[in-house]
């Protein structure tokens, strides 16, 4: 589903940008129609002067057929150029960034299916684009031109090309990088999701373990160096000296003596004796 959404976006964006080509097409069609109309008026006037009334209809029909053929030709050329622009956008996007705007939006990326670390080359991307872009694009051009010309053979060719494009996209096979279509297999590419889990799966766990060991060893070394530092040793010695002085002081001795007397009084009290009897009775 991601691939279909990405392909739709990658068709709509460059197709919308290249829509300005239709302005040139309309201007050229207007020029051709004006010229043919002028020729038709001149021919008709000459036929009237010479009295050739019967040829007016044939001349008008020929002129109109020529105008319509020119219109169909310009439409076909414009559509073909738009298809080639989409193909160029597809190749450049994958060659420079590894993915197009549509694949960025859907978080997928085109990678080599042969375990190569570098990006896919332009030649392989061109082969891929010829199947994914040029084939279905030209199929639609044939269908549109066939509808304008009422040409059954061209219509059938367009149907065959479009059907072949759909079938090759559905020819999915499981592989190391996931399921691949026919255009992936002939171009040596694969489409993979760009998510954190998929990236973690591709990480070498041996390298991660070695990195963690180096970090732990470095931490132990820094801790040992910090403990053995002169400032740390002086601080520890001062702390021990203070603790000894506190332990030997009269305040500590009096506090210890008061604590012992309080414990003896608590033991001789009624509550203390009751608790002691209860403990001995339970024992």
């Amino acid at each position: 589903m991601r691939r279909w959404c990405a392909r739709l976006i990658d068709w709509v964006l460059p197709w919308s940008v290249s829509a300005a080509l239709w302005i040139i097409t309309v201007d050229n069609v207007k020029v051709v129609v004006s010229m043919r109309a002028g020729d038709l008026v001149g021919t008709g006037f000459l036929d009237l002067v010479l009295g050739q009334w019967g040829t007016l209809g044939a001349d008008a029909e020929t002129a109109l057929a020529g105008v319509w053929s020119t219109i169909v030709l310009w439409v076909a050329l414009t559509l073909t150029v738009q298809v080639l622009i989409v193909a160029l956008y597809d190749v450049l996007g994958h060659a420079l960034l590894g993915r197009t705007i549509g694949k960025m939006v859907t978080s997928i990326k085109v990678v080599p299916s042969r375990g190569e670390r570098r990006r896919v080359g332009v030649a392989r991307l061109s082969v891929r684009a010829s199947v994914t872009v040029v084939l279905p694009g030209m199929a639609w051009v044939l269908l549109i031109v066939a509808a304008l010309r009422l040409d059954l053979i061209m219509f059938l060719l367009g149907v065959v090309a479009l059907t072949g494009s759909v079938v090759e996209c559905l020819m999915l096979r499981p592989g190391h990088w996931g399921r691949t279509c026919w255009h992936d297999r002939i171009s040596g590419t694969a489409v993979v999701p760009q998510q954190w889990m998929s990236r973690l799966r591709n990480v070498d766990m041996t390298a991660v373990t070695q990195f963690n060991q180096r970090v732990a060893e470095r931490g132990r070394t820094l801790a040992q160096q910090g403990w053995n530092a002169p400032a740390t040793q002086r601080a520890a010695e001062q702390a021990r000296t203070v603790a000894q002085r506190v332990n030997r002081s009269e305040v500590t001795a009096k506090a210890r003596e008061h604590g012992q007397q309080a414990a003896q009084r608590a033991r001789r009290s009624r509550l203390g004796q009751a608790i002691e009897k209860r403990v001995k009775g339970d024992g």
Side-chain angles (χ1 to χ4, degrees):
M1 189 62 184
R2 287 186 181 184
R3 299 180 68 163
W4 288 99
C5 292
R7 181 58 59 188
L8 178 61
I9 295 173
D10 290 335
W11 268 99
V12 171
L13 286 179
W15 200 271
S16 301
V17 173
S18 61
L21 293 173
W22 287 98
I23 299 176
I24 302 175
T25 299
V26 171
D27 291 339
N28 284 302
V29 168
K30 287 180 179 179
V31 172
V32 172
V33 170
S34 300
M35 294 176 59
R36 293 296 177 89
D39 294 340
L40 179 60
V41 170
T43 303
F45 180 76
L46 183 61
D47 290 338
L48 287 175
V49 171
L50 298 176
Q52 298 177 356
W53 300 91
T55 60
L56 285 175
D59 292 338
E61 182 178 356
T62 302
L64 290 176
V67 170
W68 185 247
S69 298
T70 302
I71 293 174
V72 172
L73 177 61
W74 275 101
V75 169
L77 289 176
T78 305
L79 291 174
T80 302
V81 171
Q82 284 189 291
V83 171
L84 295 178
I85 289 175
V86 176
L88 181 62
Y89 156 83
D90 190 87
V91 172
L92 292 180
H94 290 114
L96 299 177
L97 304 176
R99 50 184 174 169
T100 56
I101 296 177
K103 289 183 174 60
M104 291 180 185
V105 173
T106 55
S107 298
I108 55 179
K109 185 178 182 179
V110 174
V111 298
S113 61
R114 301 163 187 169
E116 304 169 3
R117 293 187 177 274
R118 65 177 186 275
R119 289 176 180 164
V120 184
V122 175
R124 289 158 65 180
L125 290 174
S126 300
V127 173
R128 192 176 190 277
S130 65
V131 180
T132 59
V133 178
V134 177
L135 178 61
M138 294 310 299
W140 281 109
V141 172
L142 289 174
L143 291 175
I144 293 173
V145 173
L148 295 176
R149 295 185 56 184
L150 299 178
D151 192 327
L152 180 60
I153 296 178
M154 190 175 293
F155 178 79
L156 293 177
L157 290 175
V159 170
V160 170
L162 187 60
T163 303
S165 177
V166 174
V167 170
E168 75 88 14
C169 288
L170 297 177
M171 293 175 61
L172 296 172
R173 292 181 184 176
H176 176 72
W177 294 94
R179 295 187 301 174
T180 58
C181 300
W182 183 67
H183 60 264
D184 293 318
R185 294 190 290 274
I186 65 173
S187 60
T189 59
V191 178
V192 296
Q194 288 295 288
Q195 297 175 344
W196 285 110
M197 291 303 297
S198 64
R199 293 178 181 179
L200 290 176
R201 294 192 197 101
N202 296 330
V203 173
D204 187 359
M205 296 308 299
T206 304
V208 173
T209 303
Q210 294 176 354
F211 176 77
N212 292 334
Q213 291 176 351
R214 288 196 298 269
V215 171
E217 186 64 27
R218 182 61 176 170
R220 287 192 296 268
T221 303
L222 292 176
Q224 187 67 29
Q225 291 176 355
W227 175 253
N228 294 330
T232 305
Q233 293 298 320
R234 285 195 300 270
E237 185 64 28
Q238 291 176 0
R240 286 193 294 268
T241 303
V242 171
Q244 290 175 359
R245 289 178 181 176
V246 170
N247 190 35
R248 297 171 183 173
S249 65
E250 295 181 358
V251 176
T252 305
K254 290 180 180 180
R256 187 181 300 110
E257 183 178 354
H258 286 309
Q260 292 174 354
Q261 293 176 357
Q264 290 176 0
R265 287 195 297 267
R267 186 175 182 182
R268 294 170 184 174
S269 64
R270 293 181 180 180
L271 180 61
Q273 291 177 358
I275 294 174
E276 187 176 1
K277 290 179 180 180
R278 183 66 180 271
V279 172
K280 291 180 178 180
D282 292 341

